[in-house]
Amino acid sequence: MSLIVIAFFGGVFTVLSPCILPVVPFVFARSDKPFITDRLPLLIGLAGTFALVTGIGVAGLAGAAQLNEYGRWIALATLGLFGAVLLFPSIAERLTRPLSALADRIVARSQTQGTTRRIASSMLLGAATGLLWAPCAGPILGVILTSAALHGANWHTAAALAAYGIGAASSLAVASSLGKRALDRLKRSFGVGEHLRRATGALVVLTVAAIATGLDTRVLAHIPGAPTNGIESKLVGVLKAKQTSHDARQGARIMRVSMPAALPVQGKLPSLDGATTWLNSAPLSADALRGKVVVVNFWTYSCINCLRTLPYLKTWAQRYGNDGLVVIGVHTPEFGFERDTANVKRALANLNIKYPVAVDNDYGIWRAFGNQYWPAFYIVDAQGRVRFHHFGEGGYGEAENAIRQLLADNGASMTARDAQSVQGSGAQAAADPADIGSDETYVGYRQAQGFASPQRVMPDAIETYTLPARLSLNDWALDGKWNVGAEAAVPAAPQARIAYRFHARDLHLVLGPSPDGKPVRFRVTIDGAAPGASHGADIAADGSGVVTNARLYQLVRQTGAVADRTFEIEFLDPGAQAYSFTFG
């Protein structure tokens, strides 16, 4: 419910953004009409069509992109005709003759036939406007789309999209009402009603031409953005605070029930049939695992939090494998490249993972568990019952105690616990939580926050960006020619850079090579100098490195005092794909 409410307010604040400008002429073109029969149906059509088309897109229905593209051109033709009608009344008269005759037959002399026609035509125009409206992909819309990607199309996603559209329509309704008052005053004072109608028609036709040629997006690139992203970020922060509070309470409950003295039954082991394939093993089923204690770990290979749990999972698999423990990794992808089974196989080899891994590209196992987290692990007893679960990093001691208890309950002879500590290296090494002052940051526009370049992000288009004079902590910016997509940003020319002001011991960046697989060279600096001893595992001391495959790259591991630093990465070749920053 919180997401739906915040989505509504996110839509309300969209009216402050330059992204709303292309649809304003279509809304104001009917601002002199009655609200109930003309403006309200138009706004309902706008909000409804936006929610429907966006929902079809996130649901991943076949042909959604083509449907949206065809609808776009139909909408442009409809609105162009509407503008021509405003500009030339004779066109309206010719068009309405056959339409009126048809309406008379359908409505069968109803007294409300005039009203019915006005409502229908207004809703049609609103639907056409909704097909053209592409709101800024800010934090709130990003949260909605990400939720749909993780959990599939459902009523919650549909309600959030509808709330977003209704919020935007509500703001436009207020703006339209103010416009109507202004127009009424002009008509009464100067008698310019006919000129205003023609001017509005001309504006609508020009707007249609601008959208059809892509001129609107080029113009908007040079308009400074209103602080809507900051407002949306605060609203998303409220949502995350609620979720964090819920998670903290849930985590405390998990810790209480995870003590060896009492491991409650938390449900049955769900089906594992949703896996698209299995690696390191033949397909496993819940029935086949009866008699074994099972650890089911949800992870994805470019997730830094997931990587830091691997040393423990590999240790448990080796330490207790002969006692009846089976560790299963469920690889559920976040980014598109993680759906490539070849990439996952390469990651398993590089990470030295030998236990079974279910490739969960369709989120079948994820949904069967009702899981929402990377990483997460569930511990199942020999009777197939879930007895312990933990979300995120940490809790390793309690988890191992649970494993030992369940193995003992199943008849294994547990010797004195091996006191040897678990150690990871490179990106798998434990984080330095006392000095992490920066959070995971996505570079793609769908979830991006903290972007500080003076230019507004233009989705899926090559644009030139510049660095600001100064970066505040946790702000980042682009420099050079970039094509910013939903998941990743791609340098479109050599010497393109990303700068980030961060506070942490480690900095990682998820990177991929060019789409054709060609390696991409890069160079890293910290506060303008080569990293030296503070270089990460994937670069040299002079900051040089190469993107060879899609994965997480450790670029900084500071050896001295942790302070606010400015990180820069310069891509010497075009084509690299930059996905997200993480810290440790």
Side-chain angles (χ1 to χ4, degrees), residues 97-142:
R97 287 174 190 167
L99 292 176
S100 296
L102 179 62
D104 287 341
R105 292 171 187 167
I106 295 174
V107 179
R109 303 180 183 276
S110 169
Q111 293 182 349
T112 61
Q113 60 182 345
T115 300
T116 302
R117 285 200 298 270
R118 288 205 307 273
I119 292 174
S121 63
S122 295
M123 192 165 291
L124 175 63
L125 289 172
T129 306
L131 285 171
L132 298 180
W133 181 41
C136 292
I140 290 176
L141 194 55

Side-chain angles (χ1 to χ4, degrees), residues 193-216:
E194 178 65 18
H195 296 296
L196 278 175
R197 182 181 58 74
R198 289 181 179 273
T200 302
L203 181 60
V204 168
V205 172
L206 289 174
T207 303
V208 168
I211 294 174
T213 59
L215 178 63
D216 62 321

Side-chain angles (χ1 to χ4, degrees), residues 490 511-520 547-549 573-577:
V490 179
L511 296 167
S514 60
D516 61 2
K518 185 178 180 180
V520 176
V547 182
T548 54
N549 52 71
D573 307 303
Q577 301 171 77

Side-chain angles (χ1 to χ4, degrees), residues 30 33-43 118-119 122:
R30 297 187 79 82
K33 302 295 183 180
F35 179 76
I36 298 297
T37 59
D38 289 87
R39 285 181 287 146
L40 179 59
L42 182 142
L43 295 170
R118 288 205 307 273
I119 292 174
S122 295

Side-chain angles (χ1 to χ4, degrees), residues 169-239:
S170 300
S171 291
L172 288 171
V174 173
S176 177
S177 297
L178 295 175
K180 183 179 187 305
R181 294 179 183 179
L183 288 175
D184 288 344
R185 288 180 182 177
L186 284 173
K187 290 177 182 178
R188 287 195 301 268
S189 302
F190 303 103
V192 293
E194 178 65 18
H195 296 296
L196 278 175
R197 182 181 58 74
R198 289 181 179 273
T200 302
L203 181 60
V204 168
V205 172
L206 289 174
T207 303
V208 168
I211 294 174
T213 59
L215 178 63
D216 62 321
T217 58
R218 294 193 291 273
V219 171
L220 288 176
H222 301 287
I223 299 177
T228 49
N229 267 16
I231 297 171
E232 290 194 29
S233 295
K234 291 180 180 178
L235 289 173
V236 172
V238 172
L239 182 66

Side-chain angles (χ1 to χ4, degrees), residues 333-356:
E334 180 180 13
F335 297 119
F337 66 83
E338 293 170 324
R339 296 177 179 272
D340 188 332
T341 304
N343 286 343
V344 181
K345 286 181 179 179
R346 184 185 303 113
L348 297 187
N350 292 338
L351 297 169
N352 194 30
I353 294 174
K354 295 181 170 55
Y355 52 75

